Amino acid sequence: MQIGMTLAKHIYDTQRLHPEATGALTLILNQVSMAAKIVSREVRKAGLVDILGLTGQKNVQGEDVRKLDEFANEIFMAAFSQLGNFCIMASEEREEPVLVSDGRKSGDYTIAFDPLDGSSNIDANVSVGTIFAVHRRVSEGDEAVPEDLLQTGRALAAAGYVLYGSSTMLVMSTGHGTHAFTLDPSVGEFLECHHQITIPKRGKTYSCNEGNYPYWSEGVRHYIAYIKEADPASGRPYSSRYIGSMVADIHRTLLYGGIFMYPADTKDPKKPSGKLRLLYECSPMAFLIEQAGGVASNGTAPILDLQPTQIHERTAFFAGSPENVRELERSIAQYDM
Ligand code: P6P
């Protein structure tokens, strides 16, 4: 009789690939799993208790903070603070990084996370998610410094997301492929459902907020027009799928292929590089996508090569099947350069 691969066993097996491993990363990923189960429980019953709606506050992004946003943020920050393996944390819900040191030598890892991405959709019962990115500390001093967070996606030790959808799924990678686990709430375990996800080389779905079309560059607009032309021999026009919740849109793209796009736009002068954040949205998602054989780009360079300079900085983001993203990059090279 087969019980199935649990997340904990998968993490332990991956640790055994590294004889030098201390087990700290294993502890971290299991702590993410535990916090995700608590948030999942609250998201599932959000409509039944007074945890929907707004708190009346605004976050660093100027966005309305929802009660579940704040709840999720408190849970993940508490879970990461008590672990002792982190030296510094960055949350989408906090303007400044948070040092983690309880007097002992602070931990050897950093974490940047979006505790509840897509939360504007919660009251409509649309899927939302948590995104996390784990780096090894690089500074030597007694206390961590922001540069410990401001590392490229290439240097990630682990990354992943939790999707609170029709089921709760945790998708992660430590650099040995991208794997997905579904929470069985009856036993409280994440069980492997997709081993070594491989994104199709080409897909026939595109995912973007076309309401921003007038504000996109000529290269992006040309690509959108191209994939909407009727040419059955090449599978065009593609199907449009956009949930407006990054974790859900990326999850579908990972499994079915195609391209997800959040281009830079001229709509808001305060956001010249688009809406999505590099450190705790685009970098971790790019890591997962590349580990699954896909491509993630800002239109001209790999997302994983981008050097962050601020924890909340934003970037244009195009990710998905290699052939689709390369076509988009060629359109940008031809019309925007
Ligand atoms: P728009 C949610 O607010 C989010 O940060 C991502 O989850 C999502 O991909 C994007 O914004 C949606 O933005 O402008 O299309 O509503």
Side-chain angles (χ1 to χ4, degrees):
M1 178 182 183
Q2 286 292 325
I3 291 178
M5 172 68 75
T6 62
L7 174 61
K9 178 66 169 58
H10 170 87
I11 295 167
Y12 177 69
D13 286 350
T14 309
Q15 176 192 321
R16 290 170 61 188
L17 300 173
H18 300 272
E20 76 286 0
T22 63
L25 197 53
T26 295
L27 276 175
I28 286 169
L29 293 168
N30 282 308
Q31 193 79 343
V32 170
S33 161
M34 185 273 293
K37 293 174 191 173
I38 296 172
V39 172
S40 173
R41 180 189 63 198
E42 294 307 309
V43 167
R44 297 261 160 268
K45 68 183 183 183
L48 302 174
V49 297
D50 179 26
I51 196 165
L52 284 177
L54 301 175
T55 60
Q57 300 156 357
K58 294 221 183 263
N59 65 13
V60 61
Q61 328 291 341
E63 297 163 341
D64 291 328
V65 178
R66 297 183 169 280
K67 293 176 183 174
L68 261 181
D69 269 337
E70 195 47 42
F71 173 82
N73 190 55
E74 293 304 318
I75 290 294
F76 282 105
M77 293 197 80
F80 298 154
S81 299
Q82 76 184 28
L83 198 60
N85 294 84
F86 291 117
C87 53
I88 192 167
M89 302 186 285
S91 166
E92 190 247 10
E93 294 294 336
R94 291 288 182 273
E95 183 160 3
E96 299 299 330
V98 175
L99 280 172
V100 184
S101 56
D102 55 3
R104 292 176 290 127
K105 177 182 177 302
S106 62
D108 296 329
Y109 289 87
T110 76
I111 191 158
F113 62 101
D114 186 350
L116 208 62
D117 182 77
S119 56
S120 57
N121 296 299
I122 286 174
D123 295 6
N125 203 19
V126 172
S127 298
V128 292
T130 299
I131 311 170
F132 63 92
V134 178
H135 279 104
R136 288 174 185 80
R137 178 179 178 179
V138 289
S139 67
E140 297 294 329
D142 290 343
E143 279 199 341
V145 293
E147 285 66 31
D148 288 308
L149 285 163
L150 300 173
Q151 299 183 56
T152 66
R154 288 278 177 235
L156 279 165
Y161 59 78
V162 184
L163 176 59
Y164 309 102
S166 52
S167 63
T168 295
M169 292 184 77
L170 191 150
V171 179
M172 52 77 74
S173 177
T174 56
H176 300 279
T178 295
H179 311 278
F181 302 82
T182 298
L183 180 62
D184 178 343
S186 65
V187 293
E189 276 292 351
F190 279 104
L191 298 173
E192 189 173 62
C193 52
H194 295 80
H195 182 74
Q196 189 78 46
I197 296 173
T198 302
I199 192 169
K201 291 207 176 308
R202 173 180 286 277
K204 295 190 172 53
T205 301
Y206 72 102
S207 183
C208 59
N209 180 347
E210 288 201 64
N212 294 329
Y213 181 88
Y215 307 104
W216 291 338
S217 72
E218 188 182 353
V220 174
R221 291 200 307 269
H222 183 273
Y223 176 69
I224 293 292
Y226 168 75
I227 58 179
K228 291 165 78 170
E229 285 169 354
D231 178 15
S234 68
R236 291 180 287 145
Y238 288 172
S239 294
S240 171
R241 291 288 182 276
Y242 190 66
I243 302 167
S245 188
M246 186 186 194
V247 175
D249 282 317
I250 290 292
H251 189 66
R252 182 202 55 249
T253 304
L254 255 180
L255 296 182
Y256 297 169
I259 182 169
F260 172 83
M261 297 177 274
Y262 210 104
D265 59 57
T266 57
K267 187 174 178 181
D268 181 348
K270 295 195 296 296
K271 301 176 187 173
S273 304
K275 177 179 183 183
L276 301 182
R277 295 77 161 191
L278 176 58
L279 206 60
Y280 45 78
E281 289 177 334
C282 299
S283 235
M285 290 306 199
F287 187 71
L288 297 170
I289 291 263
E290 283 207 8
Q291 284 291 316
V295 170
S297 158
N298 66 356
T300 56
I303 291 290
L304 294 184
D305 290 342
L306 300 182
Q307 175 58 55
T309 55
Q310 294 166 18
I311 66 169
H312 297 296
E313 77 179 68
R314 301 171 193 269
T315 178
F317 187 66
F318 307 93
S321 298
E323 293 181 12
N324 299 74
V325 179
R326 295 300 182 216
E327 270 176 352
L328 174 279
E329 289 179 325
R330 285 195 293 274
S331 185
I332 286 176
Q334 183 176 351
Y335 294 95
D336 292 352
M337 295 301 129

